[in-house]
Amino acid sequence: MSSVTLKNIRKTYDNNKTVINNVNLEIKDKEFVVLVGASGCGKSTLLRMIAGLEDISGGEIYIGDKKVNNIPPKDRDIAFVFQSYALYPHMTVRENIAFGLKMRKVDKKIIEQKVQEAAEILNLGEYLDRKPKQLSGGQRQRVALGRAIVRNPKVFLMDEPLSNLDAKLRVQMRSEIKKLHEKLQTTFIYVTHDQTEALTMGDRIVVLNNGDIQQVDTPYEIYNNPKNMFVAGFVGSPQMNFIDGKDIGLDENIIYGVRPEKMNSQNGDIKRVADVEISEMLGSETIVYFNIGASKCSAKFESDIKPSKTIEISINFSDMYKFDKETGNRIY
C-alpha cells in the first residue's frame, strides 16, 4: 500500500507565522494527486513535510499504515524530484541515476539492471555516457526522474519539476510524466502553480490558499463545480469573470461568475453592449477585455476583434455561478 494520509497537519515557524492550517487529506494508493496554488500558499511546504525534509508542528503523516512523523527521509520509501534537477555535473547520466543505489551499497549487477530499465522507460539509453551539460533541459529532467525510478519507491514527490523548461518541453514532459505514472503504478504527489498542469495531469487536484485546502476533487469538478470564488478564479485561463449583481440588474448581495467562453451565448438571458479595451489574438480565438458596469470582464470569440470596437455580450442564466458577496462561497 502506498497511500498517504495527512491528519490535522500544521506548520508554524518560530515567528508564529502559520503556513499550513490543520490540513486533512487522504491520497489513495496509485493515485496521481496535484497540489496547486499561488506562490506562498504552502504547497511545497506540505510536500516537504511528507518527505520529512520539513518538521511538522502538529498532526500525523502516514505512508501506507505506517506513521512517519519521526522517521528520517531516507527511510520513508519516497523519491523526491526537485525543480532544479539536482544532478552531479561531474558524473555521467549512468552515474547520476545509479548514485542513490551505490550509496546504499546495492550489488553492482542489480544497479546496472535498474539503470538500464530506467533508461529504457525514459528513452535515455543513448545518453548514459554523457554529462548533464551535454543534455537539454527535458533530458536532464528525465535523468532526475530516472534517479527516482531506480529506487522503486512507494511514493513519488515532485516539486514543480517542469518550471525550468520552455513551453513546448513542458507540454511534452507533462505527457511523459503521465505515461510514467501509468507504467509504474505507484502514488504520485505533484506540486505546481500552473493550473493547466494541474488540470491535464491530476486524477484529483488539491487547491490550496494561505495554508488551507479550498477544494479536493477531479479536474472536471474543480473546473465546472468550484466551491468558492478562489477556486473559480484560480482554475481557468483567462480566469472566471466575477460580475456584481447590481451591474446586471440582479441580486446585489451576490457575485455572479461566468467563464469567458460563456459570454457570447446565442439568445442569452442577459445582454449588454461593451467597448473592447484590450484584445489578444491567440490563433483560432481572440480574448477581449471590457467592463460591465464596475466589473472587469473578458470573453473569448472566434473572430479577430480590435480594441475600441463595440461588442454584444450575451449570457445564459444556466452558465452563471452564484457566490455570496461576503464569504465568497458558492450558493447552490
Side-chain angles (χ1 to χ4, degrees), residues 109-129:
K109 288 184 178 179
I110 295 176
I111 291 177
E112 182 59 25
Q113 178 187 341
K114 286 182 173 291
V115 169
Q116 290 295 336
E117 288 173 355
E120 184 177 344
I121 290 171
L122 296 165
N123 296 316
L124 287 170
E126 62 183 290
Y127 306 108
L128 286 173
D129 295 319

Side-chain angles (χ1 to χ4, degrees), residues 251-311:
D251 193 318
E252 293 189 8
N253 296 314
I254 293 176
I255 298 293
Y256 292 86
V258 189
R259 294 285 183 196
E261 61 268 26
K262 300 294 187 180
M263 296 286 279
N264 56 1
S265 303
Q266 293 292 324
N267 303 314
D269 300 300
I270 296 173
K271 295 187 177 183
R272 292 289 186 275
V273 172
D275 294 325
V276 176
E277 295 186 345
I278 302 171
S279 68
E280 297 175 342
M281 177 64 177
L282 300 176
S284 62
E285 62 187 11
T286 300
I287 300 172
V288 298
Y289 298 86
F290 53 92
N291 294 325
I292 295 179
S295 303
K296 295 186 179 298
C297 299
S298 65
K300 290 183 178 180
F301 288 88
E302 291 183 1
S303 55
D304 186 16
I305 300 173
K306 302 298 183 186
S308 77
K309 183 177 179 180
T310 299
I311 56 172

Side-chain angles (χ1 to χ4, degrees), residues 136-316:
S136 68
Q139 289 163 346
R140 291 178 194 177
Q141 191 55 271
R142 291 208 299 272
V143 175
L145 288 169
R147 189 170 52 194
I149 288 172
V150 294
R151 293 183 53 196
N152 193 29
K154 284 185 177 178
V155 182
F156 279 84
L157 306 176
M158 300 187 179
D159 191 6
E160 306 220 34
L162 309 184
S163 59
N164 288 335
L165 304 181
D166 62 41
K168 184 179 178 181
L169 267 178
R170 284 216 303 271
V171 173
Q172 179 186 336
M173 285 301 299
R174 285 206 308 257
S175 176
E176 290 188 16
I177 289 173
K178 279 296 289 181
K179 288 178 184 176
L180 181 63
H181 175 249
E182 291 168 7
K183 284 182 181 178
L184 299 180
Q185 287 292 294
T186 191
T187 306
F188 277 45
I189 307 175
Y190 186 103
V191 160
T192 182
H193 66 275
D194 186 329
Q195 46 95 14
T196 302
E197 277 184 28
L199 289 170
T200 56
M201 298 179 75
D203 297 326
R204 286 192 300 157
I205 298 173
V206 180
V207 183
L208 287 156
N209 185 37
N210 294 328
D212 289 310
I213 292 179
Q214 301 294 309
Q215 188 169 348
V216 183
D217 224 319
T218 64
Y220 178 89
E221 290 296 320
I222 290 285
Y223 187 82
N224 291 288
N225 290 302
K227 289 187 174 180
N228 55 43
M229 288 180 66
F230 178 82
V231 175
F234 188 82
V235 177
S237 181
Q239 75 162 44
M240 181 181 286
N241 297 301
F242 296 115
I243 306 171
D244 197 304
K246 66 184 178 184
D247 289 333
I248 47 176
L250 298 176
D251 193 318
E252 293 189 8
N253 296 314
I254 293 176
I255 298 293
Y256 292 86
V258 189
R259 294 285 183 196
E261 61 268 26
K262 300 294 187 180
M263 296 286 279
N264 56 1
S265 303
Q266 293 292 324
N267 303 314
D269 300 300
I270 296 173
K271 295 187 177 183
R272 292 289 186 275
V273 172
D275 294 325
V276 176
E277 295 186 345
I278 302 171
S279 68
E280 297 175 342
M281 177 64 177
L282 300 176
S284 62
E285 62 187 11
T286 300
I287 300 172
V288 298
Y289 298 86
F290 53 92
N291 294 325
I292 295 179
S295 303
K296 295 186 179 298
C297 299
S298 65
K300 290 183 178 180
F301 288 88
E302 291 183 1
S303 55
D304 186 16
I305 300 173
K306 302 298 183 186
S308 77
K309 183 177 179 180
T310 299
I311 56 172
E312 182 180 72
I313 299 303
S314 182
I315 310 168
N316 287 323

Side-chain angles (χ1 to χ4, degrees), residues 21-33:
N21 302 311
N22 204 45
V23 162
N24 290 278
L25 180 63
E26 178 74 38
I27 298 171
K28 301 170 189 173
D29 183 35
K30 300 182 178 64
E31 192 173 24
F32 195 128
V33 167

